[in-house]
Amino acid sequence: QKEVEQNSGPLSVPEGAIASLNCTYSDRGSQSFFWYRQYSGKSPELIMFIYSNGDKEDGRFTAQLNKASQYVSLLIRDSQPSDSATYLCAVNDYGQNFVFGPGTRLSVLP
Amino acid sequence: KAGVTQTPRYLIKTRGQQVTLSCSPISGHRSVSWYQQTPGQGLQFLFEYFSETQRNKGNFPGRFSGRQFSNSRSEMNVSTLELGDSALYLCASSPLEGSHSPLHFGNGTRLTVT
């Protein structure tokens, strides 16, 4: 059974701080890794994805992947109240078999 | 480019009835996946279609079925509805088979079974 684990939170950070969201996965065959943001009552929207070990930056967001440790994280710099949402980690084994984590609820306090 | 379109947005049904949900993927996307989302279970994979063929199926009873048409549009059917089927049903599309392409989600259909 392929599993993706995330701390459910809520993770509370003050406005302007760095929010760090973590995700671990069980399947070593996983090839691609995605972060989605979901506002309450809305559908998930893609933030970014990463395939290779290391860091990938996109604006205020940085994804970090460590395949040896089966660990992927998302850093949000200069967190804003509008970043308050649930963040879903998803893992794909190149066969369109996406497995989603339960999500981490982030609250950015003004 | 238009996004993934799901209809209807909201549905209220009673136990025992059946329901059909519709999904139009992003133009050019041939893979369509369906997910069920509930507060307790999170996002659960239902099935995935590519070129009118079901390629993967999640761990759901046979009451849940789907199909994909030649224009890549997809429908999902749930028969003999149960209270536990109340959920947000999400459709997602992606362009290529066996690729790293991310899923793009529609706005979902919120189904309430009474």
Coordinates of all heavy atoms in Angstrom, one line a residue, chain B residues 24-114:
Chain B
S24 N -15.5 17.7 -18.3 CA -14.8 18.0 -19.5 C -13.4 18.5 -19.3 O -13.2 19.5 -18.6 CB -15.6 19.2 -20.3 OG -16.8 18.7 -20.7
P25 N -12.4 17.8 -19.8 CA -11.0 18.1 -19.4 C -10.5 19.3 -20.2 O -11.2 19.8 -21.1 CB -10.3 16.8 -19.9 CG -11.1 16.3 -21.0 CD -12.5 16.6 -20.7
I26 N -9.4 19.8 -19.8 CA -8.7 20.8 -20.6 C -8.5 20.3 -22.0 O -8.1 19.2 -22.2 CB -7.4 21.2 -19.9 CG1 -7.7 21.9 -18.5 CG2 -6.6 22.1 -20.8 CD1 -6.4 22.1 -17.7
S27 N -8.7 21.2 -23.0 CA -8.5 20.8 -24.4 C -7.1 20.3 -24.6 O -6.1 20.8 -24.2 CB -8.7 22.1 -25.2 OG -8.5 21.8 -26.6
G28 N -7.1 19.1 -25.2 CA -5.8 18.4 -25.5 C -5.4 17.4 -24.4 O -4.5 16.6 -24.6
H29 N -6.0 17.5 -23.3 CA -5.7 16.5 -22.2 C -6.5 15.2 -22.5 O -7.7 15.2 -22.6 CB -6.1 17.1 -20.9 CG -5.2 18.1 -20.4 ND1 -5.1 18.5 -19.1 CD2 -4.2 18.8 -21.0 CE1 -4.2 19.4 -18.9 NE2 -3.6 19.6 -20.1
R30 N -5.8 14.1 -22.5 CA -6.4 12.8 -22.8 C -6.7 11.9 -21.5 O -7.4 11.0 -21.6 CB -5.6 12.1 -23.8 CG -5.5 12.8 -25.1 CD -4.5 12.3 -26.0 NE -4.8 10.9 -26.4 CZ -3.9 10.1 -27.1 NH1 -2.7 10.5 -27.4 NH2 -4.3 8.8 -27.4
S31 N -6.0 12.3 -20.4 CA -6.2 11.5 -19.2 C -7.1 12.2 -18.3 O -7.0 13.4 -18.0 CB -4.8 11.3 -18.5 OG -5.0 10.7 -17.3
V32 N -8.1 11.5 -17.8 CA -9.1 12.0 -16.8 C -9.1 11.1 -15.6 O -9.3 9.9 -15.8 CB -10.5 12.2 -17.5 CG1 -11.5 12.6 -16.4 CG2 -10.5 13.2 -18.6
S33 N -9.0 11.7 -14.5 CA -9.0 10.9 -13.2 C -10.2 11.5 -12.4 O -10.5 12.7 -12.4 CB -7.7 11.1 -12.4 OG -6.6 10.6 -13.2
W34 N -10.7 10.6 -11.5 CA -11.8 11.0 -10.6 C -11.3 10.7 -9.2 O -10.7 9.7 -8.9 CB -13.0 10.2 -10.9 CG -13.7 10.6 -12.1 CD1 -13.6 10.1 -13.4 CD2 -14.8 11.6 -12.3 NE1 -14.4 10.8 -14.3 CE2 -15.2 11.7 -13.6 CE3 -15.4 12.5 -11.4 CZ2 -16.1 12.5 -14.1 CZ3 -16.4 13.3 -11.8 CH2 -16.8 13.3 -13.2
Y35 N -11.6 11.6 -8.3 CA -11.3 11.5 -6.9 C -12.5 11.8 -6.0 O -13.3 12.7 -6.4 CB -10.1 12.4 -6.5 CG -8.8 12.0 -7.0 CD1 -8.5 12.4 -8.3 CD2 -7.9 11.3 -6.3 CE1 -7.2 12.0 -8.9 CE2 -6.7 11.0 -6.8 CZ -6.4 11.3 -8.1 OH -5.1 11.0 -8.6
Q36 N -12.6 11.2 -4.9 CA -13.6 11.5 -3.9 C -12.9 12.1 -2.7 O -11.8 11.6 -2.2 CB -14.3 10.2 -3.4 CG -15.4 10.5 -2.3 CD -15.8 9.2 -1.6 OE1 -15.0 8.6 -0.9 NE2 -17.0 8.8 -1.8
Q37 N -13.4 13.2 -2.2 CA -12.8 13.9 -1.1 C -13.8 14.1 0.0 O -14.9 14.7 -0.2 CB -12.2 15.3 -1.5 CG -11.4 15.9 -0.3 CD -10.7 17.2 -0.7 OE1 -11.3 18.0 -1.5 NE2 -9.5 17.4 -0.3
T38 N -13.5 13.5 1.2 CA -14.3 13.7 2.4 C -13.4 14.2 3.5 O -12.2 14.0 3.5 CB -14.9 12.4 2.8 OG1 -13.9 11.4 3.0 CG2 -15.9 11.8 1.8
P39 N -14.0 14.8 4.5 CA -13.1 15.4 5.6 C -12.3 14.3 6.3 O -11.2 14.5 6.7 CB -14.1 16.0 6.6 CG -15.3 16.4 5.7 CD -15.4 15.3 4.7
G40 N -12.9 13.1 6.5 CA -12.2 12.1 7.2 C -11.2 11.3 6.4 O -10.2 10.8 6.9
Q41 N -11.4 11.1 5.1 CA -10.6 10.3 4.3 C -9.7 11.0 3.3 O -8.8 10.4 2.7 CB -11.5 9.3 3.5 CG -12.3 8.4 4.3 CD -11.4 7.4 5.1 OE1 -10.4 6.9 4.6 NE2 -11.8 7.2 6.4
G42 N -9.8 12.3 3.2 CA -9.0 13.0 2.3 C -9.3 12.7 0.8 O -10.5 12.3 0.5
L43 N -8.3 12.8 0.0 CA -8.5 12.6 -1.5 C -8.3 11.1 -1.8 O -7.2 10.6 -1.6 CB -7.5 13.4 -2.3 CG -8.0 14.7 -2.8 CD1 -6.8 15.5 -3.4 CD2 -9.0 14.5 -3.9
Q44 N -9.4 10.5 -2.2 CA -9.3 9.0 -2.5 C -9.5 8.8 -4.0 O -10.4 9.3 -4.6 CB -10.4 8.3 -1.8 CG -10.3 8.4 -0.2 CD -9.1 7.7 0.3 OE1 -8.8 6.5 0.0 NE2 -8.3 8.4 1.2
F45 N -8.6 8.1 -4.6 CA -8.6 7.8 -6.1 C -9.7 6.9 -6.4 O -9.8 5.8 -5.8 CB -7.2 7.3 -6.5 CG -7.2 6.8 -7.9 CD1 -7.2 7.7 -9.0 CD2 -7.1 5.5 -8.2 CE1 -7.1 7.3 -10.3 CE2 -7.0 5.0 -9.5 CZ -7.0 5.9 -10.5
L46 N -10.5 7.3 -7.4 CA -11.6 6.4 -7.9 C -11.2 5.6 -9.1 O -11.2 4.4 -9.1 CB -12.8 7.3 -8.2 CG -13.6 7.7 -7.0 CD1 -14.4 8.9 -7.3 CD2 -14.6 6.6 -6.6
F47 N -10.9 6.3 -10.2 CA -10.4 5.7 -11.4 C -9.8 6.7 -12.4 O -10.0 7.9 -12.2 CB -11.5 4.9 -12.2 CG -12.9 5.3 -11.9 CD1 -13.4 6.6 -12.3 CD2 -13.8 4.5 -11.3 CE1 -14.7 7.0 -12.1 CE2 -15.1 4.9 -11.0 CZ -15.5 6.1 -11.4
E48 N -9.1 6.2 -13.4 CA -8.4 7.0 -14.3 C -8.6 6.4 -15.7 O -8.6 5.2 -15.9 CB -6.9 7.1 -14.1 CG -6.2 8.1 -15.0 CD -5.1 7.4 -15.9 OE1 -4.7 6.3 -15.6 OE2 -4.7 8.1 -16.9
Y49 N -9.0 7.3 -16.7 CA -9.2 7.0 -18.0 C -8.2 7.6 -19.0 O -7.8 8.8 -18.8 CB -10.6 7.3 -18.5 CG -11.7 6.5 -17.8 CD1 -12.2 6.8 -16.6 CD2 -12.1 5.3 -18.4 CE1 -13.1 6.0 -16.0 CE2 -13.1 4.5 -17.8 CZ -13.6 4.8 -16.6 OH -14.5 4.0 -16.0
F50 N -7.8 6.9 -20.0 CA -7.0 7.4 -21.0 C -7.4 6.8 -22.3 O -7.5 5.6 -22.5 CB -5.5 7.1 -20.8 CG -4.6 7.7 -21.8 CD1 -4.1 9.0 -21.6 CD2 -4.2 7.0 -22.9 CE1 -3.2 9.6 -22.5 CE2 -3.4 7.6 -23.8 CZ -2.9 8.9 -23.6
S51 N -7.7 7.7 -23.3 CA -8.2 7.2 -24.6 C -9.3 6.2 -24.5 O -9.3 5.1 -25.1 CB -7.0 6.6 -25.4 OG -6.1 7.6 -25.7
E52 N -10.3 6.6 -23.7 CA -11.5 5.8 -23.5 C -11.4 4.5 -22.8 O -12.3 3.7 -22.7 CB -12.2 5.5 -24.9 CG -12.5 6.8 -25.7 CD -13.2 6.5 -27.0 OE1 -14.3 5.9 -27.0 OE2 -12.5 6.8 -28.0
T53 N -10.2 4.2 -22.2 CA -9.9 3.0 -21.5 C -9.6 3.3 -20.1 O -8.9 4.2 -19.7 CB -8.7 2.3 -22.1 OG1 -8.9 2.0 -23.5 CG2 -8.4 1.0 -21.4
Q54 N -10.2 2.5 -19.2 CA -9.9 2.6 -17.8 C -8.6 2.0 -17.5 O -8.4 0.8 -17.6 CB -11.0 2.0 -16.9 CG -10.8 2.2 -15.4 CD -11.9 1.5 -14.6 OE1 -11.7 0.4 -14.2 NE2 -13.0 2.2 -14.3
R55 N -7.6 2.8 -17.1 CA -6.3 2.2 -16.9 C -6.0 1.9 -15.4 O -5.3 1.0 -15.1 CB -5.2 3.3 -17.3 CG -5.3 3.6 -18.8 CD -4.0 4.2 -19.2 NE -3.7 5.3 -18.3 CZ -2.4 5.7 -18.1 NH1 -1.4 5.1 -18.7 NH2 -2.2 6.7 -17.3
N56 N -6.6 2.6 -14.5 CA -6.4 2.3 -13.1 C -7.8 2.5 -12.3 O -8.6 3.3 -12.7 CB -5.4 3.3 -12.5 CG -4.0 3.1 -13.0 OD1 -3.4 2.0 -12.8 ND2 -3.5 4.1 -13.7
K57 N -7.9 1.7 -11.3 CA -9.1 1.8 -10.5 C -8.7 1.8 -9.0 O -7.9 1.0 -8.6 CB -10.1 0.6 -10.8 CG -11.4 0.8 -10.2 CD -12.3 -0.4 -10.6 CE -13.8 -0.2 -10.3 NZ -14.0 0.2 -8.9
G58 N -9.4 2.6 -8.2 CA -9.1 2.6 -6.8 C -10.0 1.6 -6.1 O -10.7 0.8 -6.7
N59 N -9.9 1.6 -4.8 CA -10.6 0.6 -4.0 C -12.0 1.1 -3.6 O -12.3 1.4 -2.4 CB -9.7 0.3 -2.7 CG -10.2 -0.8 -2.0 OD1 -10.9 -1.7 -2.5 ND2 -9.9 -0.9 -0.7
F60 N -12.8 1.1 -4.6 CA -14.2 1.5 -4.3 C -15.1 0.4 -4.8 O -14.8 -0.4 -5.7 CB -14.5 2.8 -5.1 CG -14.1 4.1 -4.3 CD1 -12.8 4.5 -4.4 CD2 -15.0 4.8 -3.6 CE1 -12.4 5.6 -3.7 CE2 -14.7 5.9 -2.9 CZ -13.3 6.3 -2.9
P61 N -16.3 0.3 -4.2 CA -17.2 -0.8 -4.7 C -17.7 -0.6 -6.1 O -17.6 0.5 -6.7 CB -18.4 -0.7 -3.7 CG -18.3 0.7 -3.1 CD -16.9 1.1 -3.1
G62 N -18.3 -1.6 -6.7 CA -18.7 -1.6 -8.1 C -19.8 -0.6 -8.3 O -20.1 -0.4 -9.5
R63 N -20.4 -0.1 -7.3 CA -21.5 0.9 -7.5 C -20.9 2.2 -8.2 O -21.6 3.0 -8.7 CB -22.1 1.4 -6.1 CG -22.7 0.2 -5.4 CD -23.4 0.8 -4.1 NE -22.5 1.4 -3.2 CZ -22.4 2.7 -2.9 NH1 -23.1 3.5 -3.6 NH2 -21.5 3.1 -2.0
F64 N -19.6 2.3 -8.1 CA -18.9 3.5 -8.7 C -18.4 3.0 -10.1 O -17.6 2.1 -10.1 CB -17.8 4.0 -7.8 CG -18.2 4.6 -6.5 CD1 -18.6 3.8 -5.4 CD2 -18.3 6.0 -6.4 CE1 -19.0 4.4 -4.2 CE2 -18.7 6.6 -5.2 CZ -19.0 5.8 -4.1
S65 N -18.8 3.7 -11.1 CA -18.3 3.4 -12.4 C -18.1 4.6 -13.2 O -18.6 5.7 -12.8 CB -19.3 2.5 -13.1 OG -20.5 3.2 -13.3
G66 N -17.4 4.5 -14.3 CA -17.1 5.7 -15.1 C -16.9 5.3 -16.6 O -16.9 4.1 -16.9
R67 N -16.8 6.3 -17.4 CA -16.5 6.0 -18.8 C -15.9 7.3 -19.4 O -16.1 8.4 -18.8 CB -17.7 5.6 -19.6 CG -18.8 6.6 -19.6 CD -20.0 6.0 -20.4 NE -21.2 6.8 -20.4 CZ -22.2 6.7 -21.2 NH1 -22.2 5.8 -22.1 NH2 -23.3 7.5 -21.1
Q68 N -15.2 7.1 -20.5 CA -14.6 8.3 -21.2 C -15.0 8.2 -22.6 O -15.0 7.1 -23.2 CB -13.1 8.3 -21.0 CG -12.5 9.6 -21.6 CD -11.0 9.6 -21.5 OE1 -10.3 8.5 -21.6 NE2 -10.4 10.8 -21.4
F69 N -15.4 9.3 -23.2 CA -15.8 9.4 -24.6 C -14.7 9.7 -25.5 O -13.6 10.1 -25.1 CB -17.0 10.4 -24.7 CG -18.1 10.1 -23.8 CD1 -18.3 10.7 -22.6 CD2 -19.1 9.2 -24.2 CE1 -19.3 10.4 -21.7 CE2 -20.2 8.9 -23.4 CZ -20.3 9.5 -22.1
S70 N -14.9 9.6 -26.8 CA -13.8 9.9 -27.8 C -13.3 11.3 -27.7 O -12.2 11.6 -28.1 CB -14.3 9.5 -29.2 OG -15.5 10.3 -29.5
N71 N -14.1 12.2 -27.2 CA -13.6 13.6 -27.1 C -13.0 13.9 -25.8 O -12.7 15.0 -25.4 CB -14.8 14.6 -27.3 CG -15.9 14.4 -26.3 OD1 -15.8 13.6 -25.4 ND2 -16.9 15.3 -26.4
S72 N -12.7 12.8 -25.0 CA -12.0 12.8 -23.7 C -12.9 13.2 -22.6 O -12.5 13.1 -21.4 CB -10.8 13.7 -23.7 OG -9.8 13.2 -24.5
R73 N -14.1 13.7 -22.9 CA -15.1 14.0 -21.8 C -15.3 12.7 -21.0 O -15.3 11.6 -21.6 CB -16.3 14.6 -22.3 CG -17.3 15.2 -21.3 CD -18.5 15.8 -22.0 NE -19.4 14.8 -22.5 CZ -20.3 14.1 -21.9 NH1 -20.5 14.3 -20.6 NH2 -21.1 13.2 -22.5
S74 N -15.6 12.8 -19.7 CA -15.8 11.7 -18.9 C -17.0 11.8 -18.0 O -17.4 12.9 -17.7 CB -14.6 11.4 -18.0 OG -14.7 10.3 -17.1
E75 N -17.6 10.7 -17.7 CA -18.7 10.7 -16.8 C -18.4 9.7 -15.7 O -17.8 8.7 -15.9 CB -20.0 10.3 -17.5 CG -20.6 11.3 -18.4 CD -21.9 10.9 -19.0 OE1 -22.3 9.7 -18.9 OE2 -22.6 11.8 -19.6
M76 N -19.0 10.0 -14.5 CA -18.9 9.0 -13.4 C -20.3 8.8 -12.9 O -21.1 9.7 -12.8 CB -18.1 9.7 -12.3 CG -17.7 8.7 -11.2 SD -17.1 9.6 -9.7 CE -18.5 9.6 -8.7
N77 N -20.6 7.5 -12.6 CA -21.9 7.1 -12.1 C -21.8 6.4 -10.8 O -20.9 5.6 -10.6 CB -22.6 6.2 -13.2 CG -24.0 5.9 -12.8 OD1 -24.9 6.7 -12.9 ND2 -24.2 4.7 -12.3
V78 N -22.7 6.8 -9.9 CA -22.8 6.1 -8.6 C -24.2 5.6 -8.5 O -25.2 6.4 -8.6 CB -22.5 7.0 -7.4 CG1 -22.4 6.1 -6.1 CG2 -21.2 7.7 -7.6
S79 N -24.4 4.3 -8.4 CA -25.7 3.7 -8.2 C -26.0 3.4 -6.8 O -25.1 3.3 -5.9 CB -25.8 2.4 -9.1 OG -24.9 1.5 -8.6
T80 N -27.3 3.2 -6.5 CA -27.7 2.8 -5.1 C -27.0 3.7 -4.1 O -26.2 3.1 -3.2 CB -27.5 1.3 -4.9 OG1 -27.8 0.6 -6.0 CG2 -28.4 0.9 -3.7
L81 N -27.2 4.9 -4.1 CA -26.5 5.9 -3.2 C -26.7 5.5 -1.8 O -27.7 5.1 -1.3 CB -26.9 7.3 -3.5 CG -26.4 7.9 -4.8 CD1 -27.2 9.2 -5.1 CD2 -24.9 8.2 -4.7
E82 N -25.6 5.7 -1.0 CA -25.6 5.5 0.4 C -25.2 6.9 1.0 O -24.6 7.7 0.4 CB -24.6 4.5 0.8 CG -24.8 3.1 0.2 CD -23.8 2.1 0.6 OE1 -22.8 2.5 1.3 OE2 -23.9 0.9 0.1
L83 N -25.6 7.0 2.3 CA -25.2 8.3 3.0 C -23.7 8.6 3.0 O -23.3 9.8 2.8 CB -25.7 8.2 4.5 CG -27.2 8.1 4.7 CD1 -27.5 8.0 6.2 CD2 -27.9 9.3 4.1
G84 N -22.9 7.6 3.1 CA -21.5 7.7 3.1 C -20.9 8.2 1.7 O -19.7 8.5 1.7
D85 N -21.7 8.2 0.7 CA -21.3 8.7 -0.6 C -21.3 10.2 -0.7 O -20.8 10.8 -1.6 CB -22.1 8.2 -1.7 CG -22.1 6.7 -1.8 OD1 -21.0 6.1 -1.4 OD2 -23.1 6.1 -2.3
S86 N -21.8 10.9 0.4 CA -21.8 12.3 0.4 C -20.3 12.8 0.4 O -19.5 12.4 1.3 CB -22.5 12.8 1.7 OG -23.9 12.5 1.6
A87 N -19.9 13.6 -0.5 CA -18.5 14.0 -0.7 C -18.4 15.0 -1.8 O -19.4 15.3 -2.5 CB -17.7 12.8 -1.0
L88 N -17.2 15.5 -1.9 CA -16.8 16.4 -3.0 C -16.2 15.4 -4.0 O -15.2 14.8 -3.7 CB -15.9 17.5 -2.6 CG -15.3 18.4 -3.7 CD1 -16.5 19.2 -4.3 CD2 -14.2 19.3 -3.2
Y89 N -16.7 15.4 -5.2 CA -16.1 14.6 -6.3 C -15.4 15.5 -7.2 O -15.9 16.4 -7.8 CB -17.2 13.8 -7.0 CG -17.8 12.7 -6.1 CD1 -18.8 13.0 -5.2 CD2 -17.2 11.4 -6.1 CE1 -19.3 12.0 -4.4 CE2 -17.7 10.4 -5.2 CZ -18.7 10.7 -4.4 OH -19.2 9.8 -3.5
L90 N -14.1 15.1 -7.4 CA -13.2 16.0 -8.2 C -12.7 15.2 -9.4 O -12.4 14.0 -9.3 CB -12.0 16.4 -7.3 CG -12.2 17.3 -6.2 CD1 -11.1 17.3 -5.2 CD2 -12.4 18.8 -6.7
C91 N -12.8 15.9 -10.5 CA -12.2 15.4 -11.8 C -10.9 16.1 -12.0 O -10.8 17.3 -11.7 CB -13.2 15.6 -12.9 SG -12.6 15.3 -14.5
A92 N -10.0 15.4 -12.6 CA -8.7 16.1 -12.9 C -8.2 15.6 -14.3 O -8.4 14.4 -14.6 CB -7.6 15.8 -11.8
S93 N -7.6 16.4 -15.0 CA -7.1 16.0 -16.3 C -5.6 16.2 -16.4 O -5.0 17.1 -15.7 CB -7.8 16.7 -17.5 OG -7.5 18.0 -17.6
S94 N -4.9 15.5 -17.3 CA -3.5 15.7 -17.6 C -3.3 15.3 -19.0 O -4.1 14.6 -19.6 CB -2.6 15.0 -16.6 OG -2.7 13.6 -16.8
P95 N -2.2 15.9 -19.6 CA -2.1 15.8 -21.1 C -1.6 14.4 -21.6 O -2.1 13.9 -22.6 CB -1.1 16.9 -21.5 CG -0.4 17.1 -20.2 CD -1.3 16.9 -19.1
L96 N -0.7 13.8 -20.9 CA 0.0 12.7 -21.5 C -0.1 11.4 -20.6 O -0.1 11.5 -19.4 CB 1.5 13.0 -21.7 CG 1.7 14.2 -22.7 CD1 3.2 14.5 -22.7 CD2 1.3 13.8 -24.1
E97 N 0.0 10.3 -21.3 CA 0.1 9.0 -20.6 C 1.5 8.8 -20.1 O 2.5 9.0 -20.8 CB -0.3 7.9 -21.5 CG -0.2 6.5 -20.9 CD -0.5 5.5 -22.0 OE1 -0.6 5.8 -23.2 OE2 -0.8 4.3 -21.6
G98 N 1.6 8.3 -18.8 CA 2.9 7.9 -18.3 C 3.9 9.1 -18.3 O 5.1 8.9 -18.5
S99 N 3.4 10.2 -18.0 CA 4.4 11.4 -17.9 C 4.4 11.9 -16.5 O 3.8 11.5 -15.6 CB 3.9 12.5 -18.9 OG 2.7 13.1 -18.3
H100 N 5.2 12.9 -16.4 CA 5.3 13.6 -15.1 C 4.3 14.7 -15.0 O 4.3 15.5 -14.0 CB 6.7 14.2 -14.9 CG 7.8 13.3 -14.7 ND1 7.8 12.4 -13.6 CD2 8.9 13.0 -15.4 CE1 8.9 11.7 -13.7 NE2 9.6 12.0 -14.8
S101 N 3.4 14.8 -15.9 CA 2.4 15.9 -15.9 C 1.6 15.9 -14.7 O 1.0 14.9 -14.3 CB 1.5 15.8 -17.2 OG 2.3 15.8 -18.3
P102 N 1.4 17.1 -14.1 CA 0.6 17.2 -13.0 C -0.9 17.1 -13.3 O -1.3 17.3 -14.5 CB 0.9 18.6 -12.4 CG 1.3 19.4 -13.6 CD 2.0 18.4 -14.5
L103 N -1.7 16.9 -12.3 CA -3.2 16.9 -12.5 C -3.7 18.3 -12.4 O -3.2 19.1 -11.5 CB -3.8 16.0 -11.4 CG -3.5 14.6 -11.3 CD1 -4.1 13.9 -10.1 CD2 -3.9 13.9 -12.6
H104 N -4.7 18.6 -13.2 CA -5.4 19.9 -13.1 C -6.8 19.6 -12.7 O -7.5 18.9 -13.5 CB -5.3 20.6 -14.5 CG -3.9 20.9 -14.9 ND1 -3.3 22.1 -14.6 CD2 -3.0 20.1 -15.6 CE1 -2.0 22.0 -15.1 NE2 -1.9 20.9 -15.7
F105 N -7.2 20.1 -11.6 CA -8.5 19.8 -11.1 C -9.6 20.7 -11.5 O -9.4 21.9 -11.7 CB -8.5 19.8 -9.5 CG -7.8 18.6 -8.9 CD1 -6.4 18.7 -8.7 CD2 -8.5 17.5 -8.6 CE1 -5.8 17.6 -8.1 CE2 -7.8 16.4 -8.0 CZ -6.5 16.5 -7.8
G106 N -10.8 20.2 -11.6 CA -12.0 21.0 -11.8 C -12.5 21.5 -10.5 O -11.9 21.2 -9.4
N107 N -13.6 22.3 -10.5 CA -14.2 22.8 -9.3 C -14.9 21.8 -8.4 O -15.2 22.1 -7.3 CB -15.1 24.0 -9.6 CG -14.3 25.2 -10.1 OD1 -13.2 25.5 -9.6 ND2 -14.9 26.0 -11.0
G108 N -15.2 20.7 -9.0 CA -15.8 19.6 -8.2 C -17.3 19.6 -8.2 O -17.9 20.6 -8.6
T109 N -17.9 18.5 -7.9 CA -19.3 18.4 -7.7 C -19.5 17.9 -6.2 O -19.0 16.9 -5.8 CB -19.9 17.3 -8.6 OG1 -19.8 17.7 -10.0 CG2 -21.4 17.1 -8.3
R110 N -20.3 18.8 -5.5 CA -20.6 18.4 -4.1 C -21.9 17.6 -4.1 O -22.9 18.2 -4.4 CB -20.6 19.6 -3.3 CG -20.8 19.3 -1.8 CD -20.5 20.4 -0.8 NE -19.1 20.9 -0.9 CZ -18.1 20.3 -0.3 NH1 -18.2 19.1 0.4 NH2 -16.9 20.8 -0.4
L111 N -21.8 16.4 -3.7 CA -22.9 15.5 -3.6 C -23.3 15.3 -2.2 O -22.5 15.0 -1.3 CB -22.6 14.1 -4.2 CG -23.6 13.0 -4.1 CD1 -24.9 13.4 -4.8 CD2 -23.1 11.7 -4.6
T112 N -24.6 15.5 -1.9 CA -25.2 15.3 -0.6 C -26.2 14.2 -0.8 O -27.2 14.4 -1.6 CB -25.8 16.6 0.0 OG1 -24.8 17.6 0.0 CG2 -26.4 16.3 1.4
V113 N -26.1 13.2 0.0 CA -27.1 12.1 0.0 C -27.9 12.1 1.3 O -27.3 12.1 2.4 CB -26.4 10.7 -0.2 CG1 -27.4 9.6 -0.2 CG2 -25.5 10.7 -1.4
T114 N -29.2 12.2 1.2 CA -30.0 12.3 2.4 C -30.8 11.0 2.6 O -31.0 10.3 1.6 CB -30.9 13.5 2.3 OG1 -31.8 13.4 1.2 CG2 -30.1 14.8 2.2

